[in-house]
Amino acid sequence: MVTYEVFADRIFPPASLTQMLGMEYDVLIVGSGAGGGAVLWRLCDRWRNNGMRIGMIEAGNLLLPAHAWNLAILSGGRAEKFVANPFATRYIGKTLPEFSGAKQIFALGGRTIQWAAVTPRMPLHVLARYPVPFKEMEKYYNIAEEVMKVTKPFIHNGALTEIFLNLLRANGFPEATHFPMAVDMKPTKYGEVHSNAYFSSIHFLAEAMNIRPFDLAVNARAVQVLAEHGKANGVKVMSPDKTSYVLRAKNVVLSASTFETPRLLLHSGIRGTAIGRYLIDHSAIRGTAIVKRKGFPEDLGPLDILVPETADRPYQLEMYRRGRPSIEEVAIGINGYGLVEPRAENRIILNPYRIDEYGLPVIQVNYSYTQQDLNVLREMTSAMRKAFSAIGAILVSVDGQPEIFLRPPGDDNHEAGSCRIGDDPATSAADRYGQIHGVSGLYVADNSVLPSLGTNPTLTTVALAIRTADYIVSKSQSSR
Ligand SMILES: Cc1cc2nc3c(=O)[nH]c(=O)nc-3n(C[C@H](O)[C@H](O)[C@H](O)COP(=O)(O)OP(=O)(O)OC[C@H]3O[C@@H](n4cnc5c(N)ncnc54)[C@H](O)[C@@H]3O)c2cc1C
């Protein structure tokens, strides 16, 4: 790991926790994943060099300088193995019987260094239940899509995609469409290199660095949020050798993930009945089927088809190609993501009997499906069979699994909602700008803010995080 540390210090602004001690930050961001990166970039872009002080602390280290798929050396399945190393990934689900698929990634860029970059907007019927007006969501989706280079043409004209799209649309799935992906499709020309195609939060950090200076400390774990008289004023941070530092800040933004953000808040004694509650995740199923290659063009192209959730269909299907096709056959996978109603009972709590190496209680998760959630699962399973049949594919079992199987909660990496935004402090942890109810200057900007899910979470988290940054900018202007 020494190599990484030297590497990180050379690439990123080298701030040590000791250097950061003497500062009072205008904004201190905890966590550098999708939400934290978005806040950092937006603040730097809005404030430019106006003297405001921005700091970021990240519990992990520099593991990869970009999304893993942008690095030739990590192609062919090696990326997954590399990120799974114990320095970065913790399979916390092993001790969470009701959320056994959960994992955490501690690294600069958070989970975006290996995410699949699928970036749809939430469906309209889901946004209708969000506390943020639709026009506002639209404005911030536009900004998020532009900065994340979201594109649809990524897989246009792929033979398999086009053939299957037509078959699905004609056989009960009229809304089937191409995946929007956060992939920079611009060709390299006139000296502008576009080799860093897959978006990750490292992009946000890099963009921010090119705009103005900020302090970033890696291997710096927030262990407590500090607040007095209803106002945030800093964060207690620990280095790997367990030395404590108190960093002062006028505004604190927690972007430590759906698991870590409520954990920090609960451990810090921040009150709020909804903190940790309303945990949501898709109910996830997966199936594999085979189609005969005969009759398809030689060049199959990629396969990425999205059947979005609608008001009448409470689940989403994602069709993709599994592995390399043989001369005879192509394996097709479908992931199904079903709606799970947000409920206060599904929650993250602290386990007072298990303390981690930093002295913090670990989390415990209470999570179960209602009869309604189980109905959605059943409906989604039969729709998956129908989709395979529409493209003429025959279901097969892979690795001894049933042809269509239920994935454990958390396995899809879509967990959210544990610090949801809303207007009512009884049912939401933060207001519509991400500010924790009753604590001024304390914000949340990560997947935990999402009040409900209707598709993959990250684009929406980034849009809301940018909005939170704009709110902080506007508040600081009015208090000057
Ligand atoms: C394999 C894979 C594929 C995925 N594919 C998709 C996809 O196609 N589409 C999609 O929408 N989503 C996808 N996701 C999910 C996506 O990565 C997450 O939605 C997104 O990264 C969540 O952002 P976040 O800011 O909530 O948390 P994260 O990205 O997890 O970032 C949290 C950060 O906080 C840091 N941190 C945690 N605790 C502390 C602490 N106490 N102090 C300081 N720092 C701390 C962590 O190290 C991390 O850097 C995928 C995820 C994986 C793993």
Side-chain angles (χ1 to χ4, degrees):
M1 293 308 284
V2 171
T3 330
Y4 294 135
E5 274 157 31
V6 172
F7 197 27
D9 282 359
R10 294 277 157 85
I11 294 184
F12 288 98
S16 68
L17 285 172
T18 319
Q19 286 165 332
M20 290 175 81
L21 264 183
M23 305 286 288
E24 193 196 27
Y25 289 97
D26 290 288
V27 181
L28 184 64
I29 304 162
V30 176
S32 65
V39 171
L40 175 76
W41 162 74
R42 187 64 170 181
L43 290 176
C44 288
D45 198 39
R46 291 290 309 275
W47 274 339
R48 300 274 151 167
N49 288 313
N50 70 349
M52 299 298 244
R53 287 169 301 251
I54 306 172
M56 173 179 264
I57 51 166
E58 165 53 55
N61 203 338
L62 177 72
L63 189 68
L64 290 172
H67 190 293
W69 295 342
N70 294 336
L71 306 170
I73 204 162
L74 290 179
S75 61
R78 281 188 295 274
E80 211 173 308
K81 283 192 197 134
F82 180 74
V83 178
N85 80 62
F87 291 112
T89 303
R90 304 236 171 109
Y91 293 93
I92 55 169
K94 284 182 183 164
T95 57
L96 303 172
E98 294 179 6
F99 219 76
S100 59
K103 69 166 185 270
Q104 288 182 293
I105 296 180
F106 293 98
L108 203 65
R111 280 181 291 172
T112 64
I113 56 173
Q114 68 153 180
W115 73 317
V118 178
T119 41
R121 294 182 178 197
M122 287 293 165
L124 295 182
H125 68 281
V126 174
L127 288 179
R129 295 198 298 262
Y130 273 40
V132 180
F134 178 70
K135 279 264 167 238
E136 280 277 298
M137 284 306 300
E138 206 174 29
K139 169 179 161 188
Y140 284 98
Y141 271 136
N142 288 341
I143 299 169
E145 284 171 348
E146 192 180 324
V147 67
M148 295 170 83
K149 313 276 192 293
V150 173
T151 175
K152 269 199 171 186
F154 180 57
I155 31 76
H156 268 195
N157 302 323
L160 265 190
T161 298
E162 299 308 317
I163 293 167
F164 287 172
L165 258 182
N166 287 335
L167 288 169
L168 287 167
R169 286 175 180 160
N171 290 285
F173 301 97
E175 302 89 356
T177 184
H178 300 93
F179 274 7
M181 302 275 293
V183 181
D184 184 358
M185 295 293 291
K186 268 200 189 154
T188 289
K189 70 177 182 189
Y190 306 130
E192 214 182 67
V193 179
H194 291 268
S195 60
N196 203 8
Y198 277 91
F199 180 86
S200 75
S201 189
I202 306 260
H203 269 86
F204 279 138
L205 271 65
E207 290 271 333
M209 267 172 67
N210 290 336
I211 298 171
R212 55 158 283 165
F214 58 89
D215 290 343
L216 165 69
V218 292
N219 286 322
R221 182 178 282 262
V223 293
Q224 194 184 342
V225 178
L226 305 170
E228 246 176 3
H229 311 302
K231 166 116 194 57
N233 61 20
V235 176
K236 187 173 161 193
V237 187
M238 283 173 97
S239 55
D241 65 5
K242 311 299 179 300
T243 308
S244 295
Y245 302 80
V246 170
L247 305 187
R248 292 291 166 199
K250 292 181 185 145
N251 295 286
V252 172
V253 181
L254 297 180
S255 300
S257 81
T258 294
F259 298 123
E260 286 295 310
T261 291
R263 182 184 183 212
L264 271 170
L265 290 167
L266 292 168
H267 178 64
S268 307
I270 305 290
R271 285 174 213 281
T273 43
I275 294 173
R277 290 185 182 269
Y278 299 97
L279 175 66
I280 39 172
D281 186 38
H282 281 122
S283 56
I285 57 172
R286 178 173 287 162
T288 306
I290 297 291
V291 287
K292 295 286 173 205
R293 242 191 115 136
K294 212 168 143 221
F296 287 105
E298 174 80 16
D299 181 4
L300 297 169
L303 171 63
D304 288 301
I305 294 177
L306 177 74
V307 178
E309 182 182 307
T310 62
D312 304 327
R313 189 196 305 115
Y315 53 84
Q316 159 180 317
L317 301 177
E318 292 181 4
M319 185 178 282
Y320 58 98
R321 230 170 67 182
R322 289 197 75 169
R324 285 178 192 280
S326 73
I327 298 175
E328 299 276 304
E329 299 171 336
V330 193
I332 311 293
I334 299 186
N335 287 332
Y337 295 127
L339 171 76
V340 172
E341 282 298 334
R343 283 188 300 130
E345 297 80 3
N346 282 346
R347 64 186 293 205
I348 290 169
I349 46 179
L350 301 183
N351 180 342
Y353 304 108
R354 284 194 52 224
I355 306 295
D356 75 1
E357 76 237 61
Y358 292 90
L360 263 72
V362 303
I363 59 164
Q364 198 172 306
V365 175
N366 295 349
Y367 194 78
S368 61
Y369 293 136
T370 60
Q371 192 53 50
Q372 177 58 24
D373 300 334
L374 295 173
N375 293 345
V376 171
L377 265 168
R378 260 189 292 276
E379 210 184 304
M380 176 164 63
T381 308
S382 63
M384 188 179 281
R385 287 183 190 284
K386 196 170 146 195
F388 277 132
S389 151
I391 60 164
I394 310 292
L395 276 158
V396 289
S397 153
V398 177
D399 299 332
Q401 295 267 25
E403 292 168 347
I404 296 178
F405 63 92
L406 179 65
R407 295 162 66 189
D411 188 47
D412 61 351
N413 296 288
H414 291 177
E415 68 278 348
S418 54
C419 290
R420 71 202 308 240
I421 51 169
D423 295 332
D424 181 357
T427 55
S428 58
D431 68 16
R432 51 175 68 191
Y433 297 100
Q435 187 165 217
I436 291 288
H437 290 300
V439 189
S440 105
L442 179 56
Y443 296 87
V444 179
D446 56 25
N447 278 4
S448 71
V449 301
L450 303 180
S452 48
L453 281 177
T455 191
N456 315 55
T458 312
L459 179 75
T460 306
T461 290
V462 168
L464 289 171
I466 295 171
R467 185 169 182 267
T468 295
D470 278 3
Y471 182 69
I472 294 172
V473 169
S474 69
K475 262 189 64 174
S476 70
Q477 268 160 357
S478 58
S479 66
R480 275 184 143 191

